[in-house]
Amino acid sequence: MTTLSNARVSELFEQYFDVAPSGCVKAPGRVNLIGEHTDYNGGFVLPAAINYHTYIAFAPRAERQLRVVAHNINQQIAFVDLDAQQAHDQDAPWNNYIRGVVQELRKAGFQLAGGDLYIAGDLQSGAGLSSSASLEMALIRALTSLSGESVEPTQAALIGQAAENHFVGCNCGIMDQLISARGQANAALLIDCQDLGVRTVPVPADWEILIVHSGVKRGLVDSEYNQRRLQCEQVARFFNQSSLRGVSLDQLLAAEQQLDELSFRRARHVLTENQRTLAAADALAAGDLTGLVKVMAESHASMRDDFNITTPAIDALVEILQKAGDGKAGARMTGGGFGGCVVAVAPAAVIAQLMVAVEAQYQQQTGCVPTLIRAIASPGAFS
Ligand code: GLA
């Protein structure tokens, strides 16, 4: 991945539009350290924003229209009329993020002004690192800057999530948008997705985060994702609760015989994952590597066996990392699942060992080509 900057994207804007932009904003992608498929169940997550971003350089335009260029998609261009009812675009799916954000900003009462936008990113899309959420947060920053409005970070996250839910078609939770908006340098955030309360959890100074893209293209993500969400909601309803957050693990275990096996396993993943996420935040804060390694391993096993969202190549990758780390590296799949990335957390010296092991073994074992990304926990778009 090439690393872009505000200066570089401003230059690209100028090359394209022949004038300098009036501003340039960026919003980061994220890696979730633990707490998977818990956000839409009112549970806990522990993500960090990373040093890869979506950038938008922008300048005002007289018409009440956005003219938007997507650098990463062969400089495709889209026009969005600000006052029109937004319709879904079948031909250029990336366009729906813009239409969705415009619609949701308007719904929330924000003024919008016309502009030229040049979008470029150094986050691989479809990797499970939330390029979508980072696009939404960057758009909200750019559009509110153009119209001179200010938006509070959590509200920005909710608007981005609504755009995705109502316009793009993924019934995602709030994690990705919230961490892209509110991330902190050198820290993960423990987010309580029930009340959106946030605790900053510093990453120990000598530890690093390694992301390995499995090279497995994420398939059927939205349909599988939405199905998992429905399954969890059904169990919550069984207990007369609005979300699984209102159900305790003891209650669930006591009801095992009354639930079908699949629903039971789905809910067990979520409720045990909440406990592991809280334990992981404490372990990270205390520099307790052994504690973190243990809960990350349990989290992966739970995603594999109870939630069924891993793939054989992802499982092999996690195993390579766990073996190479020899008890000194936490490793698990991260993100929605069905391919995408694995995350490892370890002291810097161990990270080097992990990289050597992945290079030597992963492609040979699985036929998939890995991409290694050393990530730095970074500030959010509105931090
Ligand atoms: C995707 C969604 C998030 C979250 C994760 C799984 O990234 O966008 O809201 O549900 O999957 O933890």
Side-chain angles (χ1 to χ4, degrees):
M1 280 193 266
T2 52
T3 305
L4 293 168
S5 62
N6 281 338
R8 175 70 189 130
V9 178
S10 298
E11 207 174 271
L12 289 167
F13 180 103
E14 192 161 351
Q15 280 165 14
Y16 191 91
F17 290 109
D18 256 351
V19 286
S22 57
C24 185
V25 292
K26 63 176 182 176
R30 65 98 185 90
V31 62
N32 190 20
L33 303 185
I34 194 165
E36 226 63 80
H37 287 262
T38 45
D39 60 352
Y40 56 80
N41 287 301
F44 297 96
V45 292
L46 188 64
I50 57 175
N51 52 322
Y52 292 89
H53 300 83
T54 300
Y55 293 81
I56 304 183
F58 56 88
R61 185 160 202 253
E63 297 92 312
R64 289 199 48 75
Q65 188 187 53
L66 301 176
R67 182 165 55 162
V68 191
V69 178
H71 178 79
N72 296 42
I73 316 177
N74 303 317
Q75 294 191 320
Q76 266 183 35
I77 187 160
F79 294 88
V80 177
D81 285 325
L82 292 174
D83 300 317
Q85 180 62 29
Q86 301 301 325
H88 202 268
D89 187 339
Q90 308 280 7
D91 303 329
W94 67 275
N95 208 338
N96 291 319
Y97 290 96
I98 299 154
R99 295 175 176 209
V101 164
V102 163
Q103 178 156 303
E104 295 301 330
L105 275 170
R106 266 188 8 203
K107 249 202 236 168
F110 286 89
Q111 299 298 322
L112 295 174
D116 286 329
L117 272 61
Y118 194 94
I119 306 179
D122 50 22
L123 250 173
Q124 206 178 320
S125 68
L129 299 176
S130 291
S131 57
S132 310
S134 79
L135 171 58
E136 291 149 15
M137 292 308 101
L139 277 168
I140 293 172
R141 271 209 64 189
L143 296 182
T144 51
S145 303
L146 276 168
S147 61
E149 295 256 23
S150 72
V151 54
E152 193 272 323
T154 301
Q155 189 183 15
L158 289 164
I159 289 171
Q161 182 197 18
E164 188 127 343
N165 289 174
H166 302 150
F167 231 83
V168 182
C170 182
N171 227 350
C172 65
I174 190 65
M175 167 170 71
D176 304 346
Q177 289 80 7
L178 201 63
I179 189 67
S180 179
R182 301 192 55 180
Q184 295 288 323
N186 306 314
L189 294 189
L190 176 67
I191 303 171
D192 180 340
C193 298
Q194 174 137 285
D195 60 10
L196 305 187
V198 159
R199 181 177 124 205
T200 303
V201 185
V203 178
D206 58 333
W207 293 13
E208 274 192 33
I209 301 171
L210 175 68
I211 300 170
V212 187
H213 190 306
S214 63
V216 181
K217 203 172 150 22
R218 297 165 76 226
L220 290 177
V221 188
D222 287 356
S223 58
E224 291 284 350
Y225 183 93
N226 292 344
Q227 186 202 47
R228 293 298 183 286
R229 184 169 180 156
L230 281 175
Q231 289 166 336
C232 293
E233 286 166 357
Q234 269 160 15
V235 180
R237 265 200 301 280
F238 171 86
F239 288 98
N240 282 322
Q241 294 294 326
S242 56
S243 80
L244 281 178
R245 181 63 179 278
V247 182
S248 72
L249 185 58
D250 284 346
Q251 278 175 308
L252 178 74
L253 296 176
E256 180 169 1
Q257 298 312 318
Q258 293 149 262
L259 290 165
D260 68 88
E261 193 252 335
L262 193 67
S263 305
F264 174 76
R265 283 197 286 115
R266 298 294 189 250
R268 181 169 60 186
H269 163 73
V270 172
L271 297 187
T272 55
E273 185 79 347
N274 278 337
Q275 296 182 340
R276 287 186 290 269
T277 304
L278 291 171
D282 289 343
L284 193 64
D288 168 14
L289 187 58
T290 313
L292 186 70
V293 169
K294 177 171 175 287
V295 286
M296 285 181 79
E298 289 170 359
S299 169
H300 187 80
S302 178
M303 290 190 289
R304 182 190 60 212
D305 302 335
D306 273 355
F307 221 62
N308 304 121
I309 54 172
T310 69
T311 70
I314 290 271
D315 293 338
L317 181 53
V318 167
E319 220 170 281
I320 291 169
L321 289 164
Q322 287 169 340
K323 279 207 186 116
D326 195 19
K328 294 194 181 62
R332 58 183 286 283
M333 186 189 74
T334 180
F338 309 102
C341 290
V342 160
V343 62
V345 182
V350 180
I351 293 277
Q353 248 165 259
L354 303 183
M355 293 175 77
V356 171
V358 171
E359 298 280 16
Q361 299 165 37
Y362 179 64
Q363 186 171 358
Q364 204 183 19
Q365 266 184 41
T366 63
C368 304
V369 182
T371 309
L372 298 156
I373 305 163
R374 287 176 101 140
I376 300 168
S378 301
F382 295 88
S383 302

